[in-house]
Amino acid sequence: SYTITDLGILPGKSITLAFGSRSLNNSGLVVGYCGDGDILTGLFPDFFTGNVPFSWTKKTGIQALPMMPGAAFASALTSNDRGQILGNAGNSWDDAQGVLWDHGTIMGLGTLPGDTGSFAQAINNHGQIVGGSHVFDGATYFSIRPFVWDKGGISLLPLGGFGGGQANDINEQGQICGVLHVDPTFDFFNAFPALWDNGSLTVLGTLGGGYAAAWDLNQKGQVVGHSVGLDGVFHVVLWDKGVLTDLGNRGGFWCGLWAINNRGQAVGEASDVDEIVHAIMVENGVITDLNDLLPAGSGWELVFADGINERGQISGSGIHNGEVRSFLLTPR
């Protein structure tokens, strides 16, 4: 069972979201963003409507992060154990780029040559960053390519004959997981999970349904994500030393895993037979609805779980007494 903490909200905003994968580090720092909207739209907010990035700790509570000069919106997605925070900022998704907040300083990560924007996904404790660099016209990705950023330089990851893709996480050994697209444009039904290891690219196995993505990996090289099966619905999956394990679903169309710790506990969300999405944890092959582990009468409906640290704390977002809020679960 868990105790649950409401992370609060910044003044003048109506929703709080810890929405990026790995939104929680090992010291209990949670990052995210506050924006505007109602319950219906708040869980899938418009990135361009004045979102303000935040950090939260038990000591400081919720605090706004500085905005990138000239940017109309920003979102904080993840941090490392050194307290470096990673996110995205811009005026629209066309020109937005990955952003690093480093103990009072803020800098843009830039793009790969010829691209107009980028988005950052993950940072390790060495300060290495991964994500995607793209050309985007407000409606369509004309190209999207995976990158690694290291010591101020941005480099293209090997595509292995694929048209494009994005990198989603990097561990302390420099292993990177992500997704590759058959075409340069994002093609939801022709995407494959990938693992880059010291320059070597491995295309991981799928459940045969045409789309799969590797989203997070731990220091053991275990990778989690999701894959469409031959049944036409999503399954949460684990790749361990290249071996694919189907962890199943909760009977609905959608499920996904966003983070895994070194104990093999993974978190994400899944819809049930009524297509109601709830935050989940997967441990020892068993899917658990995190709402079932809350105290009775908590007033919460946990919708997404996006981060889990080595202490077993879990971050995510849901609905608390009718308001869209972020949470931190702490094992009792």
Side-chain angles (χ1 to χ4, degrees):
S1 63
Y2 293 84
T3 60
I4 186 166
T5 302
D6 185 331
L7 303 189
I9 193 165
L10 294 174
K13 298 300 178 181
S14 60
I15 63 171
T16 308
L17 289 171
F19 197 62
S21 297
R22 302 160 301 276
S23 54
L24 168 69
N25 74 6
N26 284 320
S27 67
L29 169 67
V30 184
V31 299
Y33 54 96
C34 293
D36 300 301
D38 56 29
I39 291 174
L40 181 62
T41 62
L43 294 178
F44 298 95
D46 185 342
F47 285 100
F48 320 138
T49 55
N51 291 331
V52 177
F54 76 82
S55 66
W56 180 96
T57 67
K58 184 177 180 180
K59 180 179 179 179
T60 66
I62 191 168
Q63 294 184 319
L65 293 170
M67 292 291 290
M68 187 77 173
F73 74 92
S75 57
L77 299 177
T78 186
S79 67
N80 60 18
D81 291 333
R82 296 166 56 191
Q84 295 173 303
I85 297 172
L86 190 65
N88 301 293
N91 292 302
S92 71
W93 205 237
D94 306 32
D95 65 2
Q97 62 176 300
V99 171
L100 175 66
W101 289 270
D102 190 357
H103 298 90
T105 66
I106 182 171
M107 64 176 296
L109 304 180
T111 71
L112 291 173
D115 289 346
T116 60
S118 65
F119 56 88
Q121 292 286 81
I123 181 171
N124 66 13
N125 289 331
H126 303 293
Q128 297 170 308
I129 295 168
V130 296
S133 180
H134 58 76
V135 178
F136 187 64
D137 72 347
T140 305
Y141 283 112
F142 286 104
S143 72
I144 178 170
R145 297 181 291 169
F147 73 78
V148 59
W149 184 97
D150 190 13
K151 297 180 176 66
I154 189 170
S155 303
L156 176 68
L157 288 168
L159 293 174
F162 284 82
Q166 68 185 59
N168 291 327
D169 192 29
I170 180 169
N171 65 13
E172 303 311 316
Q173 290 74 47
Q175 294 175 305
I176 299 168
C177 68
V179 60
L180 291 167
H181 308 141
V182 172
D183 299 315
T185 55
F186 178 81
D187 185 348
F188 192 82
F189 295 102
N190 285 286
F192 297 87
L195 179 67
W196 292 270
D197 191 351
N198 295 313
S200 175
L201 169 63
T202 300
V203 179
L204 301 171
T206 77
L207 298 180
Y211 174 83
W215 214 263
D216 193 49
L217 76 165
N218 60 19
Q219 306 313 319
K220 299 177 180 179
Q222 295 174 309
V223 181
V224 292
H226 39 269
S227 179
V228 177
L230 295 176
D231 54 4
V233 301
F234 283 85
H235 297 233
V236 289
V237 294
L238 168 74
W239 294 272
D240 191 356
K241 297 181 176 62
V243 177
L244 171 64
T245 300
D246 181 359
L247 300 173
N249 55 40
R250 297 185 60 237
F253 174 75
W254 164 248
C255 58
L257 289 177
W258 305 121
I260 182 173
N261 64 15
N262 292 328
R263 296 157 62 183
Q265 298 170 312
V267 295
E269 77 267 356
S271 59
D272 59 20
V273 292
D274 296 317
E275 298 302 338
I276 297 172
V277 178
H278 276 174
I280 60 169
M281 181 171 69
V282 180
E283 186 174 16
N284 298 322
V286 177
I287 299 175
T288 300
D289 185 335
L290 287 172
N291 289 277
D292 295 338
L293 304 181
L294 294 180
S298 70
W300 278 93
E301 181 183 359
L302 308 183
V303 183
F304 307 111
D306 299 300
I308 184 166
N309 63 19
E310 299 310 317
R311 297 160 60 189
Q313 292 178 302
I314 298 170
S315 60
S317 300
I319 300 170
H320 186 208
N321 295 327
E323 304 290 340
V324 179
R325 294 290 185 267
S326 295
F327 63 80
L328 177 67
L329 298 179
T330 301
R332 289 181 182 271

